[in-house]
Amino acid sequence: MIYLDNSATTKPHPEVVSSYIKVNDQFYGNPSSIHRFGEKAASLFQKAKQQCSELSGLPEGNVIFTSGGTESNNLAIKGSVYKLADRGKHLITTVIEHPSVLEVFKELETEGFDVTYLPVDRAGVISLDDLKQALRKDTIFVSIMYVNNEIGSIQPIREAGKLIKVHSNARFHSDAVQAFGKMAPEFEILDLLTLSAHKFNGLKGSGLLAVKKGLELVPEIAGGGQQEGVRSGTVNTAGAVALAKAMRLASEQQEKSYHTLQTCNRMLRTFFEGRDEVKVISSKSAAPHILSVTVPKLTGEVVVHALDQKDVFITTSSACSSKLNKKSHVLSACGINDRDIRGAVRISLGSDQTVAEIKEFIKIWQDVIPPLLKGV
């Protein structure tokens, strides 16, 4: 098997799985209980929280553990906007955000908030001039994703953060689900940061929202007041410990894996650029672990299923929308024509990807895809 759908999800690291099983097996007490068994679980939870906070890169940040990126994005946006609603009604995001961001902003529009959706260029990158022009005195919240999940475009987060701080009092949030563990991001400029464990060899159903010290959020979930009242519900001690483990491993391996990702990306790009049936969509400035290409004479589904028969796994677009049969809003925003969108596929690499796997993938592509074009 050659797995090249790592932006959808990654294989859990054995050490992460081991941590999760050990905590659930030996320290399953409820951290809210006042007996020693509960206190031990509470101690593990707090230690994991401290580690995740330090690894998130937000100075003096706090961490709210969630079920993953979607919940973290919802909490970051609604929790901030409702808290700051008396200061203004203007919000800013981009047209290429994940649905867990875009759908929240659309919902807020129906509640009377005014949203500016920043456009992107052909490479999928916003203009800092557009951002500067959009910022207003009543802007209370800005959300800009770090790395796009379909084309790998990287936004100028540091520069955007400086503009936001100078020209507004808005909170700055980034959905960095596709960035952590794959590159060396600059998170210190942010007020809020979304991460999801299964994108960097952690477990599904586990994520976090890192929050700059002193910022208050309106809770999305009411209940027993766990996690400082921001996210009620019995805390998932094993999930938190496993997430901390996954973050530490990803951080330690990031530099080494980045060079491998660059090598694999160059191999793929060189191969595809030399073929008549393929156009490369992702720009050369995109993150190395995501490469979007199109086979205009075929549909993306045909390409995916043909490779599937050879135990090679890629996808047509983001995993969250690939079964919805909807045209990619990201590729449309980049000005890609409908025919190229129809034939688009995404190849996403993992931190443990090998050059040998990419060589084998190229060989299989040469064997499988050209025959499909005969008679088309």
Side-chain angles (χ1 to χ4, degrees):
M1 179 181 82
I2 301 177
Y3 184 73
L4 297 170
D5 194 17
N6 290 278
S7 288
T9 195
T10 55
K11 181 180 179 180
H13 195 289
E15 290 188 37
V16 173
V17 177
S18 177
S19 293
Y20 184 81
I21 293 172
K22 181 178 180 181
V23 173
N24 263 331
D25 184 54
Q26 300 180 19
F27 306 101
Y28 53 85
N30 190 326
S32 297
S33 299
I34 60 172
H35 49 66
R36 282 187 292 125
F37 199 45
E39 289 175 351
K40 179 59 180 175
S43 175
L44 288 173
F45 182 78
Q46 288 302 323
K47 184 178 179 181
K49 182 174 181 175
Q50 180 64 32
Q51 290 175 338
C52 289
S53 179
E54 292 171 0
L55 291 165
S56 75
L58 258 67
E60 300 182 4
N62 187 22
V63 161
I64 308 298
F65 289 105
T66 68
S67 61
T70 293
E71 184 187 339
S72 293
N73 283 336
N74 273 257
L75 177 59
I77 300 167
K78 290 183 180 178
S80 293
V81 168
Y82 292 150
K83 191 69 182 179
L84 304 174
D86 60 342
R87 300 183 190 175
K89 295 288 186 181
H90 184 232
L91 319 172
I92 298 174
T93 189
T94 82
V95 294
I96 61 167
E97 297 292 316
H98 188 273
S100 62
V101 170
L102 282 178
E103 293 303 316
V104 179
F105 278 100
K106 290 177 183 175
E107 184 180 329
L108 290 169
E109 281 186 294
T110 67
E111 298 176 16
F113 290 92
D114 178 18
V115 181
T116 297
Y117 296 91
L118 298 174
V120 295
D121 61 16
R122 176 63 176 74
V125 179
I126 63 165
S127 158
L128 290 170
D129 286 338
D130 287 346
L131 173 60
K132 184 178 178 181
Q133 291 297 319
L135 289 166
R136 309 186 326 212
K137 289 183 178 178
D138 65 335
T139 305
I140 58 172
F141 192 83
V142 181
S143 184
I144 299 175
M145 74 190 322
Y146 210 111
V147 173
N148 182 264
N149 54 312
E150 292 190 38
I151 56 174
S153 58
I154 304 170
Q155 303 303 329
I157 293 296
R158 175 180 289 277
E159 294 80 3
K162 289 178 180 176
L163 284 176
I164 292 164
K165 301 304 179 189
V166 170
H167 297 284
S168 77
N169 292 314
R171 290 185 185 179
F172 186 24
H173 164 254
S174 183
D175 173 358
V177 160
Q178 297 290 346
F180 188 85
K182 303 295 195 307
M183 48 193 293
E186 299 163 328
F187 292 152
E188 66 275 8
I189 197 73
L190 298 168
D191 296 313
L192 304 109
L193 166 71
T194 288
L195 298 180
S196 182
H198 75 103
K199 304 296 187 180
F200 48 88
N201 304 106
L203 303 174
K204 297 177 185 66
S206 177
L208 64 79
L209 177 66
V211 184
K212 190 175 180 180
K213 186 178 181 181
L215 298 188
E216 296 182 357
L217 298 169
V218 173
E220 284 281 282
I221 301 174
Q226 290 90 344
Q227 299 204 64
E228 294 86 44
V230 177
R231 205 267 191 179
S232 288
T234 302
V235 296
N236 180 1
T237 307
V241 172
L243 176 51
K245 174 75 78 172
M247 289 182 72
R248 183 176 64 77
L249 291 171
S251 296
E252 290 174 352
Q253 297 167 2
Q254 180 266 316
E255 185 174 350
K256 180 182 177 183
S257 66
Y258 184 78
H259 294 297
T260 304
L261 293 172
Q262 282 185 313
T263 300
C264 293
N265 184 287
R266 279 195 295 268
M267 290 172 63
L268 289 168
R269 184 177 287 276
T270 300
F271 168 68
F272 285 127
E273 288 178 345
R275 301 197 67 81
D276 293 335
E277 81 270 17
V278 183
K279 293 181 184 177
V280 176
I281 294 175
S282 296
S283 77
K284 291 184 178 178
S285 62
H289 60 291
I290 298 175
L291 186 68
S292 178
V293 304
T294 180
V295 185
K297 291 185 178 180
L298 299 174
T299 65
E301 288 81 359
V302 167
V303 175
V304 168
H305 290 312
L307 293 172
D308 184 306
Q309 296 302 308
K310 299 294 182 182
D311 281 340
V312 175
F313 302 108
I314 63 173
T315 191
T316 51
S317 59
S318 69
C320 295
S321 60
S322 58
K323 290 186 176 180
L324 300 178
N325 199 26
K326 292 170 61 178
K327 186 168 75 172
S328 165
H329 71 284
V330 173
L331 298 183
S332 294
C334 295
I336 308 299
N337 66 56
D338 286 351
R339 189 184 187 206
D340 286 349
I341 291 175
R342 184 168 163 266
V345 294
R346 180 187 70 182
I347 300 155
S348 51
L349 311 173
S351 57
D352 57 351
Q353 210 78 59
T354 66
V355 169
E357 288 175 316
I358 300 305
K359 287 180 178 177
E360 182 63 17
F361 167 76
I362 289 172
K363 181 178 180 300
I364 292 172
W365 180 286
Q366 290 172 310
D367 292 340
V368 170
I369 303 304
L372 297 175
L373 296 164
K374 292 180 180 178
V376 175

